[in-house]
């Protein structure tokens, strides 16, 4: 059942009495998720996201800290962000946060005068970064969907054994030596995989990582190839590398088996039934498509259409009316359009004006915390 803003804040404060200031300092709350997209079903959850501005002691004191308040089932699912965290994530084009600013007014359950100022400036947060965050999130969701699809089509049959990989019951490499060597290899891998990226913002990291992943795939350089190169770079001999490769193979297979068992045990029952019937996760599938389409729309029109104009198509996917192959073909077409639009479209700036966003942040904080 839908919750109003007063009840929602009362639940948060009941769970965390020290946050009683949120009653007066929350500036915006909106419905989020499938109900905001218009793709909800009768049994869909109610999700909410919002923004608050803590009192001045949270800015001037070292004893008070706040980033967000979270509610989960059996309470309504809700996240209320500190304004600073919210604006940072929105400026990075984080999909789950950026969408909040563009939900339909009919989905808003609290908009204070200060919250309205934030909404009036929502366009400031848009940039071409959406290509890497929305499309990147679509890629990650598709990867997870593919993994679960593989679990149905070709599930692991039994836990791996050291014997089947030609390994003795106990490793021949002492544990401390194994851990130290693994750390050295990882350090070299981090260096090879652009250690300089730690100073870049999230969208730039995603862009470079996606580009390098595509390049490595094109040249058929796998993660195993990268690991082998790093092992040789630090001077390990061939026999030691062989033993470590076998240990690494066993660890990987065991990790996959454990993940498969955990997935079987903890997956949502309704989604599991859909997966068994259709061979892939339908909720995951429609999100993969939605994110790719929204990425294309934003680069093409500069608009963030949270209330989905393609609602019927998304509901068809969610209902299992699209085959896996049909879905992935459509997603691939959207992603190709996104890649081209990123090069040719001038609808959005390459990055947001961070100084303007910073000034807005200070203005809003002063209006609430320092009034």
């Amino acid at each position: 059942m839908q919750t109003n803003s007063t009840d929602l804040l009362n639940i948060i404060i009941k769970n965390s009495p020290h946050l009683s200031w949120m009653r007066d300092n929350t500036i915006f709350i909106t419905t989020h998720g499938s109900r905001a997209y218009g793709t909800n079903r009768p049994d869909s959850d109610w999700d909410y996201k919002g923004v608050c501005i803590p009192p001045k002691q949270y800015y001037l004191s070292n004893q008070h800290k706040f980033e967000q308040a979270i509610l989960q089932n059996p309470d309504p699912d809700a996240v209320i962000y500190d304004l600073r965290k919210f604006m940072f994530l929105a400026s990075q084009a984080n999909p789950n946060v950026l969408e909040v600013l563009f939900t339909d007014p009919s989905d808003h359950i609290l908009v204070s005068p200060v919250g309205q100022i934030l909404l009036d400036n929502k366009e400031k947060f848009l940039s071409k970064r959406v290509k890497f965050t929305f499309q990147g999130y679509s890629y990650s969701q598709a990867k997870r969907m593919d993994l679960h699809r593989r679990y149905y089509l070709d599930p692991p049959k039994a836990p791996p054994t050291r014997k089947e990989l030609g390994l003795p019951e106990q490793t021949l490499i002492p544990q401390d030596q194994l851990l130290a060597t693994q750390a050295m290899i990882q350090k070299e891998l981090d260096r090879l995989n652009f250690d300089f990226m730690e100073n870049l913002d999230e969208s730039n990291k995603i862009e470079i990582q996606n580009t390098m992943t595509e390049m490595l795939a094109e040249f058929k350089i796998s993660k195993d190839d990268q690991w082998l190169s790093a092992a040789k770079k630090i001077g390990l001999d061939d026999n030691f590398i062989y033993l470590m490769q076998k240990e690494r193979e066993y660890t990987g297979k065991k990790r996959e088996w454990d993940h498969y068992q955990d997935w079987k045990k903890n997956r949502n029952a309704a989604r599991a039934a859909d997966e068994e019937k259709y061979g892939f996760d339908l909720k995951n599938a429609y999100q993969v498509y939605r994110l790719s389409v929204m990425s294309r729309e934003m680069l093409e029109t500069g608009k963030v259409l949270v209330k989905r104009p393609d609602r019927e198509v998304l509901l068809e996917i969610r209902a299992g009316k699209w085959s896996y192959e049909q879905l992935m073909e459509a997603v691939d077409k959207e992603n190709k359009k996104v890649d081209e639009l990123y090069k040719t479209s001038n609808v959005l700036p390459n990055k947001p004006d961070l100084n303007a966003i910073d000034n807005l942040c200070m203005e809003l904080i002063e209006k609430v915390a320092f009034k």
Side-chain angles (χ1 to χ4, degrees):
M1 189 173 79
Q2 186 173 19
T3 303
N4 62 44
S5 62
T6 300
D7 289 344
L8 187 64
L9 292 172
N10 283 340
I11 296 170
I12 292 174
I13 293 166
K14 181 180 178 181
N15 293 340
S16 304
H18 66 287
L19 299 179
S20 60
W21 52 263
M22 288 183 67
R23 284 196 182 96
D24 297 324
N25 291 42
T26 299
I27 64 171
F28 178 54
I29 303 176
T30 181
T31 303
H32 190 245
S34 64
R35 294 186 181 275
Y37 307 142
T39 58
N40 57 291
R41 303 193 296 189
D43 59 344
S44 294
D45 294 333
W46 285 92
D47 298 309
Y48 303 94
K49 280 192 168 61
V51 185
C52 66
I53 299 177
K56 66 180 180 181
Q57 58 263 37
Y58 284 81
Y59 302 93
L60 303 178
S61 164
N62 65 1
Q63 298 299 315
H64 295 80
K65 293 182 175 19
F66 176 82
E67 285 194 352
Q68 61 192 34
I70 300 175
L71 287 177
Q72 294 177 315
N73 287 327
D75 296 318
D77 283 339
V79 183
I80 310 295
Y81 295 95
D82 175 290
L83 175 71
R84 292 168 296 178
K85 179 172 184 178
F86 180 86
M87 293 181 78
F88 172 76
L89 293 173
S91 69
Q92 297 293 306
N94 179 294
N96 286 327
V97 172
L98 188 62
E99 288 177 357
V100 171
L101 290 169
F102 293 87
T103 52
D104 191 82
S106 64
D107 290 311
H108 299 170
I109 65 170
L110 171 66
V111 183
S112 75
V114 174
Q116 188 59 55
I117 296 173
L118 175 63
L119 294 178
D120 290 343
N121 286 273
K122 61 188 177 184
E123 307 293 337
K124 284 185 169 68
F125 294 90
L126 292 178
S127 72
K128 284 188 173 183
R129 289 176 174 177
V130 297
K131 189 262 190 198
F132 305 106
T133 53
F134 278 73
Q135 190 184 57
Y137 193 25
S138 175
Y139 279 143
S140 67
Q141 293 289 301
K143 186 175 180 180
R144 186 171 72 171
M145 183 175 65
D146 286 344
L147 175 63
H148 295 171
R149 176 174 165 79
R150 180 160 59 84
Y151 284 164
Y152 274 108
L153 298 178
D154 186 24
K157 305 297 190 297
T161 65
R162 295 179 63 82
K163 182 178 180 181
E164 69 187 15
L165 293 174
L167 289 168
E169 286 303 310
Q170 300 296 326
T171 177
L172 298 176
I173 307 172
Q175 186 68 13
D176 57 346
Q177 185 182 4
L178 180 63
L179 292 174
T181 306
Q182 287 172 338
M184 291 171 63
I185 292 174
Q186 188 58 51
K187 184 176 180 180
E188 182 62 23
L189 284 170
D190 291 341
R191 190 189 69 79
L192 291 173
N193 286 293
F194 307 101
D195 196 33
F196 69 85
M197 288 203 302
E198 66 180 74
N199 296 317
L200 297 178
D201 63 50
E202 196 61 31
S203 58
N204 289 136
K205 288 181 183 179
I206 294 171
E207 176 181 5
I208 293 172
Q209 288 168 344
N210 287 345
T211 300
M212 288 308 303
T213 298
E214 291 172 1
M215 288 178 60
L216 292 170
E218 184 176 345
F219 289 112
K220 295 183 171 56
I221 300 174
S222 66
K223 289 186 177 180
D224 287 339
D225 294 330
Q226 295 175 58
W227 183 93
L228 181 59
S229 175
K232 289 182 177 180
K233 188 74 179 289
I234 65 174
L236 300 181
D237 66 50
D238 289 344
N239 289 333
F240 193 82
I241 288 175
Y242 175 77
L243 280 175
M244 285 202 68
Q245 283 179 312
K246 299 301 287 185
E247 292 289 351
R248 187 165 174 266
E249 183 181 358
Y250 171 73
T251 300
K253 288 180 178 294
K254 186 175 185 306
R255 185 185 302 115
E256 181 177 15
W257 173 260
D258 291 342
H259 183 275
Y260 172 62
Q261 295 301 315
D262 184 67
W263 170 75
K264 283 201 305 181
K265 179 181 178 181
N266 297 314
R267 59 194 172 137
N268 177 280
R271 293 174 72 173
D274 283 347
E275 285 179 312
E276 289 181 11
K277 183 176 181 179
Y278 300 101
F280 60 103
D281 187 326
L282 299 179
K283 185 173 182 179
N284 200 225
Y286 104 82
Q287 296 287 21
V288 168
Y289 181 79
R290 179 185 67 83
L291 288 159
S292 293
V293 172
M294 287 186 69
S295 182
R296 188 258 303 160
E297 287 172 345
M298 286 182 280
L299 291 172
E300 199 168 52
T301 68
K303 297 185 182 301
V304 185
L305 304 177
V306 176
K307 190 70 75 179
R308 297 305 306 154
D310 55 354
R311 173 180 179 272
E312 296 303 322
V313 171
L314 293 172
L315 289 175
E316 282 183 2
I317 297 171
R318 185 70 181 86
K321 295 181 179 179
W322 283 32
S323 69
Y324 176 81
E325 291 74 20
Q326 182 181 2
L327 169 72
M328 297 313 297
E329 181 181 353
V331 170
D332 184 58
K333 286 181 179 178
E334 290 293 337
N335 286 335
K336 286 177 179 176
K337 292 176 185 176
V338 170
D339 293 341
E340 184 59 32
L341 282 166
Y342 181 76
K343 300 173 186 175
T344 60
S345 173
N346 295 315
V347 173
L348 297 178
N350 289 330
K351 60 182 181 179
D353 185 340
L354 297 180
N355 288 330
I357 291 173
D358 202 38
N359 289 334
L360 175 63
C361 184
M362 289 187 287
E363 175 191 343
L364 300 186
I365 290 172
E366 287 176 348
K367 286 181 180 294
V368 176
F370 294 88
K371 60 183 179 180

